[in-house]
């Protein structure tokens, strides 16, 4: 267990070592147990987290706001339109000033490839407080760590050799960020899983992330394969994680993007495909899901679906990230 995470940014899972991520999951497990027992966990009394959402959110926003309350602190729920960011205030000034008022900054900026993570890293360069990535264009590290927690709860601590299918699926609602599949292939390959990424040819992920996943698999003894066939990815999988994402070059051209995606309406997680997976296979989705398009009701509401456990774990892992990075060292908290 690592005890020196105070003040650390959490912008990509790759920024933390495996041992640090294991610590995060240990703490999340402990906080989950205490939550179930109704034990108070006021580890961040009087501390403030500033959350800035450039995009909409249900789970992330509420997991972090509720989590901060449960830790004894407070989270400000901010959007750029109520801040001087909308008048062009710099990442540097925003980072310096908010970190003088409080103890952590958390940012979602996920719909503009090339802009989100670089904005967060610029804030972090100047902020004298940890910066937490609530979803960027590249990674969604508070989601994927909750996913890893859920996988361990279902299959045990040793994830080596578990076969996960990370697949594109059709959704008509909007071009969803690329950060969940990217975050999954980079994290799960580090933990030794056998990762198959499936997508239609147009839906390639960022090349540096794909290269990173390949490298991670070599290091961990896992596997990383890319296919253009959803059935092939589901074949014998222990975990299926089908979800939609957009085309990197077309986020600013939604009509073109939707026209391309409409060619692949048959990329859906349905009972036929679930039968291709292993007998014990679980169905995962970060949510929100486009029901009837990405997945049938039968699958998402069926016995293999763990989507609500996954969503719940956003709270416990979020609290662990905040407690570890924003907390004090040693001794009892002031109001214990
Ligand atoms: N999975 C996830 O990040 O959900 P929200 O977009 O609702 O935060």
């Amino acid at each position: 267990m690592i005890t020196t995470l105070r003040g650390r940014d959490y912008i990509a899972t790759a920024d933390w070592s495996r041992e640090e991520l294991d610590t995060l999951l240990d703490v999340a497990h402990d906080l989950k147990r205490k939550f179930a027992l109704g034990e108070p966990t006021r580890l961040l009394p009087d501390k403030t987290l500033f959350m800035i959402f450039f995009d909409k959110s249900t789970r992330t926003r509420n997991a972090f706001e509720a989590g901060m309350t449960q830790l004894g602190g407070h989270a400000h729920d901010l959007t750029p339109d109520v801040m001087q960011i909308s008048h062009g205030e710099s990442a540097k000034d925003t980072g310096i000033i908010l970190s003088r008022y409080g103890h952590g900054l958390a940012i979602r900026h996920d719909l503009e490839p090339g802009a989100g993570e670089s904005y967060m890293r610029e804030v972090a360069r100047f902020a004298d407080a940890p910066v937490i990535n609530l979803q960027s264009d590249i990674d969604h590290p508070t989601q994927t760590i909750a996913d890893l927690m859920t996988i361990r709860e279902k299959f045990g601590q040793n994830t080596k050799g578990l076969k996960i299918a990370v697949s594109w699926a059709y959704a008509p609602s909007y071009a969803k960020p690329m950060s969940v599949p990217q975050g999954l292939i980079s994290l799960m390959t580090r933990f030794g899983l056998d990762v198959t990424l499936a997508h239609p040819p147009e839906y390639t992920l960022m090349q540096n992330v794909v290269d990173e996943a390949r490298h991670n698999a070599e290091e961990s003894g896992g596997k990383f394969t890319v296919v253009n066939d959803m059935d092939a990815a589901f074949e014998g999988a222990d975990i299926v994680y089908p979800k939609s994402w957009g085309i990197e070059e077309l986020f600013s051209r939604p009509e073109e993007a939707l026209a391309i995606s409409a060619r692949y309406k048959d990329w859906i997680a349905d009972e036929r495909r679930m039968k291709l997976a292993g007998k014990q296979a679980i169905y995962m989705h970060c949510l929100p899901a486009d029901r009837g398009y990405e997945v049938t009701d039968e699958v998402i509401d069926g016995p293999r679906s763990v989507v609500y456990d996954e969503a719940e774990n956003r709270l416990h892992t979020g609290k662990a990230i905040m407690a570890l990075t924003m907390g004090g060292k040693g001794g009892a908290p002031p109001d214990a």
Side-chain angles (χ1 to χ4, degrees), residues 208-221:
N208 59 329
V209 180
V210 171
D211 293 344
E212 183 187 328
R214 202 159 275 132
H215 169 79
N216 291 345
E218 277 165 21
E219 293 274 300
S220 70

Side-chain angles (χ1 to χ4, degrees), residues 244-261:
S244 195
W245 65 82
I247 297 172
E248 187 175 353
E249 300 76 28
L250 296 185
F251 273 84
S252 55
R253 291 165 14 223
E255 282 170 17
E256 268 179 71
L258 284 174
I260 294 173
S261 71

